[in-house]
Amino acid sequence: MAYVITQNCCKDASCVPVCPVECIRPVGDAGSFTGTEMLYIEPDVCIDCGACQEECPVGAIYPEDELPPEQERFREINARYFEANPLKPDDSHHGSPHTAVKAGSLRVAIVGAGPAGCYAADELIRIKGVEVALYERLPVPYGLVRYGVAPDHQHTKAITSLFGEALSNSRLHCYFNVTVGDGISHDELMAHHHAVIYSVGAAKSRELGIPGETLPGHYAAADFVGWYNGHPDHAGDRFDLTGERAVIIGNGNVSLDIARILVSPRAALAATDIAEHALEALGDSNIREVVVLARRGARHAAFSIGEFMALGSLPGVDVIIEADDLEAGPDDDIETVIKLELAREYANRQPTPGNKRIVFRFLAAPEEIIGDGRVSGIRVAGGDVIETSLILRSTGYLGSAIADLPFDEAAGTVPNDRGRVLDDAGQPIPGVYVTGWIKRGPRGVIGTNRSCAEQTVARLWEDFDAGALASDAGEREALDGLLAQRGLTPVGWREWTAIDEAERARGAESERPRVKFVNVADMLAEIPS
Ligand code: F3S
Ligand code: F3S
């Protein structure tokens, strides 16, 4: 028997160091990108100890004889990964050079409580003596885990229990509901901490640069995702779901999330923590077909195997593949080979009359959004026009400039060397770091941020050891006083817990994981005075 990693894997990699026989791959040095969508277990080497399963925060690992039916295929996928990539010794070693520092000698502010910031906080707070202040614009933490991960992927959201352990540490102070750059400046943060790490993500959507893209009916996928996930910035958005067809531009996992949500029956959505307004609107939706457009061919598909495979077992939904070139070539990696196999399987299935459809169109770059006053269709490469009243573009994100920090407009990132922020002359700015999408661009899955944070925090430790950080930093109490003077009321861990419990209680009434508050005032109203 062996253990098997399955669809839910988000590359958190907590499983890797606990494996006594080092049979989980690929692994890389901190901050390196291993390129694969997930990690795999070498079945011939695994000794069934179960340690990895206990460690995985999202429940992605199963003993092979307990695999849920829809995950069965991952037994073969794990094995095939190692046929193509035989196991080699792991010589990557992560971790801080310290186990403890003198109390008060390292106080770090982290700006942004999404997965990147939470992994950085987790990495730092495990060292005794370190203090962390975690800043977040909203009164609630977890960023894209709460507002980006699809509501029907609750297992992925389970990563918050790992983050919660770090965030509830008595040496970690949450300053949610405080906007750095507005309520408090970068210089003020620097004056009260030895180091500041920005983990603010990349929230802007790339534009298409084609005619018609300002027509109503065409939106950024990120807005739609924020809307169905109850993000306060998008709670008031409206999307026209009266047509029978929606078109999604781009074929990454976000596109597949949206496609799935659009064709899911109300009852399935009602079991999730989808926002109430979205549940109502999607329950009344007329959409029966979602067309997913890709600029390139099927072998370059951006979605992952697990998400693509899961579409095939959605009840009442056919997956239609519109592409001819589905054969793998000798240069294709094993993940591409498996994706093409799946695509061929879908292409050979007979559609079921009356089913909804998710249609994958490849080599179909968008050329023009068509409509008179609002979207009525989209013209794609080859001249075809697809009629639709709803177009969502999911073609990548861009970071926004951070006040008082250098910024690379073209890349949408803060210039940095493995996390150290660089000035215009390319020199590190002492004590200022970045991690997550604002550091490396919008790539990777949730767990990719762990390795990214390890890399940044390793630089911070190097600078700490080299005496490159400010030796004196104002006291936390002084900063608290400044915030109070400005009428800012930070939401701390305990206050967030009250909001969390209230949401869960609302959910329990209707057997849902939670019912989110979708505006800030309602969140704050749950905090006991
Ligand atoms: Fe490992 Fe993936 Fe879980 S890397 S810890 S199986 S999320
Ligand atoms: Fe196998 Fe996981 Fe143990 S891979 S050896 S069961 S840590």
Side-chain angles (χ1 to χ4, degrees):
M1 212 208 24
Y3 279 62
V4 177
I5 301 184
T6 65
Q7 183 195 346
N8 302 350
C9 175
C10 69
K11 292 180 81 174
D12 171 82
S14 296
C15 54
V16 173
V18 300
C19 178
V21 292
E22 297 189 349
C23 69
I24 306 178
R25 292 291 186 281
V27 291
D29 291 332
S32 65
F33 297 97
T34 53
T36 60
E37 298 164 357
M38 54 180 278
L39 268 60
Y40 303 94
I41 290 173
E42 162 59 284
D44 292 338
V45 179
C46 173
I47 55 167
D48 306 332
C49 72
C52 55
Q53 186 187 30
E54 286 199 11
E55 211 62 28
C56 177
V58 296
I61 304 181
Y62 294 86
E64 62 178 323
D65 57 357
E66 290 176 23
L67 277 166
E70 69 281 7
Q71 307 288 344
E72 273 285 346
R73 195 158 181 171
F74 279 95
R75 183 203 321 262
E76 171 206 335
I77 292 173
N78 277 247
R80 284 177 69 185
Y81 175 80
F82 289 96
E83 282 164 22
N85 305 279
L87 192 66
K88 292 196 195 90
D90 167 20
D91 55 4
S92 71
H93 294 288
H94 305 154
S96 160
H98 297 272
T99 53
V101 295
K102 189 164 148 269
S105 65
L106 183 59
R107 194 175 314 122
V108 181
I110 299 176
V111 182
C118 288
Y119 274 120
D122 180 52
E123 187 70 13
L124 281 163
I125 208 70
R126 63 182 67 205
I127 309 304
K128 288 200 183 76
V130 175
E131 285 178 39
V132 173
L134 180 59
Y135 284 82
E136 166 60 47
R137 168 173 81 93
L138 292 172
V140 294
Y142 306 140
L144 276 185
V145 178
R146 180 177 165 103
Y147 291 124
V149 172
D152 57 349
H153 279 10
Q154 290 297 315
H155 43 76
T156 305
K157 294 179 190 253
I159 192 83
T160 56
S161 59
L162 184 146
F163 297 155
E165 281 176 33
L167 270 55
S168 57
N169 188 300
S170 61
R171 287 179 285 111
L172 190 144
H173 304 277
C174 298
Y175 290 85
F176 305 155
N177 201 33
V178 176
T179 304
V180 173
D182 184 6
I184 179 170
S185 71
H186 169 72
D187 288 347
E188 287 165 339
L189 271 193
M190 288 300 290
H192 292 84
H193 300 86
H194 301 98
V196 179
I197 301 175
Y198 284 91
S199 49
V200 293
K204 273 197 315 193
S205 295
R206 283 185 190 275
E207 291 176 357
L208 295 170
I210 62 172
E213 71 174 316
T214 55
L215 283 171
H218 165 236
Y219 309 96
D223 295 351
F224 190 71
V225 171
W227 171 75
Y228 67 57
N229 272 323
H231 193 296
D233 291 353
H234 297 290
D237 292 357
R238 294 286 174 272
F239 298 91
D240 180 0
L241 305 174
T242 57
E244 292 208 350
R245 180 185 291 129
V247 171
I248 305 174
I249 302 170
N251 70 355
N253 281 347
V254 173
S255 298
L256 269 55
D257 284 346
I258 294 174
R260 209 175 54 247
I261 296 292
L262 281 170
V263 296
S264 289
R266 189 185 193 287
L269 297 175
T272 74
D273 67 350
I274 194 166
E276 290 279 272
H277 55 247
L279 181 59
E280 292 314 314
L282 289 163
D284 292 338
S285 161
N286 288 333
I287 290 173
R288 303 202 51 79
E289 177 176 288
V290 181
V291 180
V292 179
L293 296 181
R295 189 178 290 271
R296 303 208 285 166
R299 73 168 19 80
H300 300 292
F303 48 69
S304 65
I305 294 170
E307 296 302 322
F308 190 46
M309 191 192 303
L311 294 183
S313 48
L314 282 182
V317 178
D318 290 329
V319 179
I320 311 290
I321 306 291
E322 294 191 355
D324 298 329
D325 184 14
L326 299 177
E327 292 299 329
D331 295 335
D332 288 323
D333 62 35
I334 187 66
E335 290 179 331
T336 304
V337 170
I338 294 168
K339 272 186 227 176
L340 289 169
E341 272 175 23
L342 284 167
R344 291 199 299 275
E345 282 176 30
Y346 290 144
N348 288 331
R349 284 189 193 174
Q350 281 304 316
T352 307
N355 267 7
K356 293 181 181 175
R357 296 155 45 104
I358 298 176
V359 181
F360 286 87
R361 282 194 66 168
F362 295 96
L363 301 173
E367 293 186 337
E368 182 181 4
I369 293 178
I370 298 165
D372 185 7
R374 64 160 297 111
V375 168
S376 62
I378 182 166
R379 188 164 50 77
V380 299
D384 285 7
V385 172
I386 305 169
E387 287 182 19
T388 182
S389 50
L390 177 64
I391 301 174
L392 300 165
R393 75 173 185 284
S394 179
T395 48
Y397 294 87
L398 271 180
S400 303
I402 297 171
D404 303 320
L405 256 60
F407 191 64
D408 179 340
E409 289 286 347
T413 54
V414 170
N416 72 91
D417 173 22
R418 296 166 296 156
R420 282 189 187 106
V421 173
L422 303 177
D423 64 16
D424 293 341
Q427 293 303 311
I429 303 176
V432 188
Y433 305 86
V434 280
T435 191
W437 281 3
I438 197 65
K439 166 187 170 186
R440 64 178 200 272
R443 294 181 292 141
V445 287
I446 300 281
T448 313
N449 291 298
R450 179 184 189 137
S451 155
C452 186
E454 281 174 0
Q455 184 189 53
T456 293
V457 170
R459 302 289 82 73
L460 192 154
W461 281 119
E462 283 171 12
D463 295 344
F464 176 82
D465 290 338
L469 303 183
S471 53
D472 55 340
E475 293 299 317
R476 191 166 67 83
E477 290 71 19
L479 192 61
D480 288 353
L482 194 63
L483 295 174
Q485 259 177 29
R486 293 182 182 162
L488 298 170
T489 45
V491 168
W493 177 256
R494 196 174 309 164
E495 289 82 14
W496 148 246
T497 305
I499 299 170
D500 184 33
E501 283 172 1
E503 288 188 341
R504 288 177 195 273
R506 279 156 43 109
E509 290 167 16
S510 44
E511 296 183 24
R512 304 182 57 194
R514 69 174 65 235
V515 174
K516 288 180 191 167
F517 297 109
V518 300
N519 71 63
V520 168
D522 289 347
M523 294 173 185
L524 298 180
E526 292 304 322
I527 298 173
S529 46

